Amino acid sequence: MTFSVIGVPIDSVGRSGGTERAPAALRAMGLIDAIDGSDAGDLDVRIRGEERDPDTGIVGSADVMIATLGIRQAVDSSIRAGSRPFLAGGCCAELPGALAGARDAVGRLGLAYFDGHLDLYDGVTSPTGEAADMPVAAALGLGPQAWVQAAGGPSISADDTAIVGYRDLEQSLADGMIDPDSLEGLTHVDVEAVRSRGPGAVGIETERALSRTPGRFWLHLDVDVLDETVFPATDYLFSGGMEWSELLDV
């Protein structure tokens, strides 16, 4: 299977610019050739609006739902056509639609989620209302129900999910985010545990577990898993993240 690169130019802050520009920037830097892929172009999706929806608690909620449906269809079609979808975002709000499309095409799958954040907020606990605060919760069926419904229900189970490299647990729990320890079966490894156990070892363990059951998985990489001095082109800078060498090892 070859990679089919699908651009998802969204930014859940609800304004023009920001991570909307990432797909074009990645193409200009040679992404397509680097992964020996084909270019499926950009989806016609954007997120606009700076007010939190009273029902979902999400900024630009209507556009998040539309984007989720479009991403879901694109990923499903890509897999059914015999390609391996490579989503170039954009922000983490793309995840529920991506997982839903993969689930529609192949059934049960897992998630290897490399991110500086746990992303287990919901529309009430999120301090910003940005959809990028809550994609893992939505994919598990624990986020705003309108978003869960747009994705056709939960796409993954906690047993099939590994969150790796995060460093926001203390602040997130203080905000009222779902405690990852409360989700039975969820694997979560913060950045300090990645270092103490060895990035390569953590990567191998994660791959083996998800390849054994459920047998296939979606790999999600948010570049804010890297330290702010290593990769400063992110919306929310904070220290303590991985070095390039650690990310490559894991």
Side-chain angles (χ1 to χ4, degrees):
M1 297 175 70
T2 58
F3 284 119
S4 177
V5 178
I6 303 168
V8 186
I10 59 173
D11 190 323
S12 60
V13 300
R15 299 185 296 273
S16 177
T19 57
E20 286 184 352
R21 299 173 179 172
L26 290 166
R27 285 191 181 89
M29 294 169 66
L31 172 66
I32 310 298
D33 290 340
I35 64 171
D36 194 24
S38 61
D39 192 348
D42 285 354
L43 299 180
D44 184 18
V45 291
R46 295 291 191 279
I47 297 174
R48 293 289 183 270
E50 299 181 39
E51 300 296 323
R52 297 182 74 154
D53 180 81
D55 294 324
T56 65
I58 299 175
V59 170
S61 183
D63 285 347
V64 171
M65 305 308 148
I66 292 170
T68 296
L69 293 171
I71 295 164
R72 178 182 177 185
Q73 181 177 11
V75 169
D76 182 19
S77 297
S78 178
I79 295 172
R80 292 183 191 276
S83 297
R84 190 184 300 270
F86 187 117
L87 268 61
C91 73
C92 296
E94 69 188 27
L95 181 78
L99 290 175
R103 175 209 58 211
D104 293 346
V106 302
R108 181 183 174 189
L109 77 157
L111 170 65
Y113 196 76
F114 294 86
D115 198 301
H117 305 87
L118 285 152
D119 290 342
L120 287 168
Y121 287 102
D122 58 27
V124 175
T125 58
S126 165
T128 68
E130 294 173 20
D133 281 352
M134 49 192 110
V136 179
L140 289 167
L142 304 173
Q145 286 306 296
W147 199 5
V148 175
Q149 292 168 13
S155 301
I156 51 170
S157 69
D159 287 337
D160 297 333
T161 302
I163 306 175
V164 179
Y166 66 90
R167 53 193 191 277
D168 69 327
L169 179 62
E170 183 176 355
Q171 180 60 56
S172 297
L173 293 181
D175 290 335
M177 186 198 71
I178 297 168
D179 187 339
D181 285 336
S182 71
L183 301 177
E184 185 175 356
L186 177 73
T187 297
H188 60 97
V189 187
D190 69 15
V191 68
E192 293 306 322
V194 169
R195 290 194 172 113
S196 64
R197 291 165 54 183
V202 170
I204 290 169
E205 292 166 9
T206 302
E207 188 274 337
R208 286 179 176 170
L210 295 176
S211 294
R212 184 170 57 251
T213 54
R216 56 177 69 87
F217 61 92
W218 185 272
L219 173 62
H220 175 93
L221 171 63
D222 184 341
V223 287
D224 71 17
V225 77
L226 292 162
D227 189 78
E228 62 182 356
T229 61
V230 176
F231 196 94
T234 61
D235 289 332
Y236 297 104
L237 294 169
F238 65 126
S239 61
M242 292 186 194
E243 301 292 324
W244 275 117
S245 59
E246 293 173 318
L247 178 60
L248 290 170
D249 283 347
V250 77

